[in-house]
Amino acid sequence: MSYVDGFVCAVANDKKAEYIELARKAAEVFKRCGGIQVVETWGDKVPAGKKTSFALAVQCKDDETVVFSWVWWPSKDIQKAGMEAFMEDPICDSANNPMPFDGSRLIYGSFNVIVEE
């Protein structure tokens, strides 16, 4: 059964182009490591919420936008090997490739796909 890694972060609006550039490079690496599909989305209608919301979860500031992303893998085993390979790739070296967002506010998780239509 398929497996998905999901990510939510807040990106400064003036760093959107930098984020897209990094996301495209990361997508190439994810696919080279076995990912089937990589999707990056820039928030459009993301309600702030009072108790829970994407924005609250990542402490989104007024000059930032919520980004929601996922990597689709063919299986959990391929994801495990793929993520290990991804983390070894130079794209993950923050000294040479700094993230255009605050990684401490990144939320991520891995999920078993239970419905796939």
Side-chain angles (χ1 to χ4, degrees):
M1 178 71 63
S2 298
Y3 203 69
V4 173
D5 285 322
F7 310 89
V8 181
C9 66
V11 178
N13 296 324
D14 64 355
K15 295 199 180 237
K16 183 177 181 180
E18 290 175 54
Y19 183 85
I20 291 170
E21 181 180 343
L22 177 64
R24 285 190 172 135
K25 290 176 184 176
E28 290 176 13
V29 178
F30 277 123
K31 292 186 97 176
R32 190 171 63 241
C33 294
I36 296 172
Q37 181 185 41
V38 179
V39 177
E40 295 280 349
T41 63
W42 190 262
D44 181 37
K45 295 180 182 177
V46 184
K50 294 188 182 193
K51 290 187 178 182
T52 62
S53 70
F54 282 113
L56 287 172
V58 296
Q59 300 170 3
C60 192
K61 299 173 184 168
D62 290 341
D63 62 342
E64 295 177 327
T65 297
V66 173
V67 173
F68 176 48
S69 313
W70 63 92
V71 179
W72 196 278
W73 303 90
S75 69
K76 185 176 182 176
D77 289 340
I78 293 172
Q79 180 271 353
K80 182 179 179 193
M83 284 302 288
E84 287 174 6
F86 179 84
M87 295 306 291
E88 293 297 318
D89 191 272
I91 198 167
C92 292
D93 180 0
S94 61
N96 295 322
N97 197 22
M99 292 186 294
F101 62 93
D102 180 358
S104 71
R105 293 186 284 145
L106 171 72
I107 296 174
Y108 61 92
S110 301
F111 302 85
N112 288 303
V113 175
I114 57 172
V115 175
E116 185 174 347
E117 297 292 327

